[in-house]
Amino acid sequence: MSLFETQGVIIKTQDFKENDKLVWIFTEKSGKITTIAKGAKKAKSRHFSITLPLCYGDYMMFRGKNLYSLSEGKIINSFQGLLSNLEKLTYSSYLCELIDISLIDGESNPNLFKDFVTCLYLLNTDAIDYELLVRSFELKLLKSTGYGLNLNNCANCGKKINTSSYISLANYGGICGECTKEYSIRISTAAYNVLRFLNSSPMDKVHRVNVNTEIKDEIFKVTSSIFSSNYAKKPKSLEMLEYIKER
């Protein structure tokens, strides 16, 4: 077995045997990987705190034939602030589910990893609209997995467009006035403009946008439709997100 060291975030865990855990880590170097953490179920274990959900750390492990085996780790940020707030916890759980559902094991994606960590740090503050932040991350995840939106040209004919009232679910982008609107979602001009801003801007610029609930709902309809059309599973956290929005 060869030694492997990388930064990573714990996105999912599962009890394994009597005292161990299976741990899914989204890593900077190798994307999503599955690791066995020996004794991690015990509170006194040196692996206990470094394998808690959302823990961001430096991890050292041995690469086996099918799985990694966790050797040691050092916490960079435990993101405890996310765990103690229901809304932040639900959004961060949703992000972890998206990573788990959309990425293939062992496929490196350092840019998406950086976006994911940035999103967690921003979510851990009180200075940004959480819902728009998550929409921004969704768009970056779609781009990283081959479903990025083209909002500057017609997705059907390629003609340059300034705005559109339709988003194609087949070709992932805005549609000009001359092209067919089949397999598309109708949205307002305001929602299209916000969608284009989020699609092209870094997440730390999300605070520049201030929109109403209706526009947020339109944008979510677009991203959720693309996710549901292209990925096998639906994040369970979506139900809790809907509950939070309705409160």
Side-chain angles (χ1 to χ4, degrees), residues 6-241:
T6 183
Q7 288 189 0
V9 178
I10 307 298
I11 60 170
K12 186 173 71 171
T13 66
Q14 180 181 307
D15 289 347
F16 183 69
K17 296 184 178 179
E18 186 176 354
N19 298 311
D20 307 336
K21 282 183 186 177
L22 285 176
V23 182
W24 284 261
I25 311 177
F26 182 32
T27 70
E28 180 181 30
K29 293 181 179 178
S30 292
K32 185 181 67 172
I33 62 174
T34 308
T35 305
I36 295 178
K38 298 288 185 179
K41 286 171 64 177
K42 295 181 178 180
K44 293 183 179 180
S45 168
R46 61 192 175 93
H47 289 158
F48 180 79
S49 61
I50 62 173
T51 56
L52 291 174
L54 298 176
C55 183
Y56 169 42
D58 286 310
Y59 294 95
M60 187 176 293
M61 58 201 84
F62 291 99
R63 194 196 311 258
K65 186 176 181 180
N66 298 312
L67 296 174
Y68 291 82
S69 180
L70 184 63
S71 174
E72 57 185 276
K74 180 180 179 181
I75 296 174
I76 298 173
N77 194 323
S78 63
F79 289 115
Q80 289 301 301
L82 298 177
L83 300 176
S84 59
N85 179 293
L86 178 60
E87 185 175 10
K88 292 181 181 182
L89 174 60
T90 305
Y91 276 118
S92 55
S93 298
Y94 172 68
L95 296 177
C96 289
E97 282 194 84
L98 286 182
I99 292 292
D100 187 39
I101 288 169
S102 61
L103 299 187
I104 299 171
D105 286 8
E107 192 172 88
S108 177
N109 202 323
N111 289 331
L112 183 63
F113 177 80
K114 181 179 178 181
D115 286 333
F116 181 56
V117 172
T118 299
C119 193
L120 291 179
Y121 271 106
L122 290 171
L123 195 59
N124 204 30
T125 70
D126 296 315
I128 203 162
D129 186 313
Y130 307 143
E131 190 172 350
L132 285 179
L133 175 64
V134 170
R135 297 291 85 82
S136 176
F137 179 76
E138 286 175 339
L139 291 167
K140 288 164 178 55
L141 176 59
L142 288 172
K143 188 180 296 184
S144 294
T145 54
Y147 304 107
L149 292 176
N150 179 1
L151 300 173
N152 296 315
N153 301 84
C154 176
N156 291 343
C157 71
K159 183 174 73 175
K160 186 172 178 59
I161 53 177
N162 293 319
T163 188
S164 176
S165 297
Y166 292 89
I167 299 292
S168 170
L169 296 180
N171 296 316
Y172 316 115
I175 306 174
C176 71
E178 287 74 39
C179 284
T180 177
K181 309 303 186 294
E182 191 176 11
Y183 305 119
S184 65
I185 293 177
R186 183 179 178 86
I187 64 171
S188 65
T189 299
Y192 191 91
N193 291 336
V194 173
L195 191 59
R196 180 156 56 185
F197 176 83
L198 295 177
N199 194 50
S200 61
S201 302
M203 282 182 291
D204 60 3
K205 305 300 182 186
V206 170
H207 69 277
R208 296 181 179 180
V209 182
N210 185 15
V211 299
N212 59 34
T213 301
E214 287 73 22
I215 290 178
K216 291 179 185 178
D217 289 344
E218 287 185 78
I219 295 171
F220 177 59
K221 185 177 181 181
V222 172
T223 58
S224 62
S225 295
I226 296 174
F227 276 114
S228 62
S229 298
N230 293 287
Y231 300 118
K233 295 180 181 179
K234 180 179 179 180
K236 296 178 181 178
S237 303
L238 277 179
E239 295 179 9
M240 179 59 74
L241 287 175

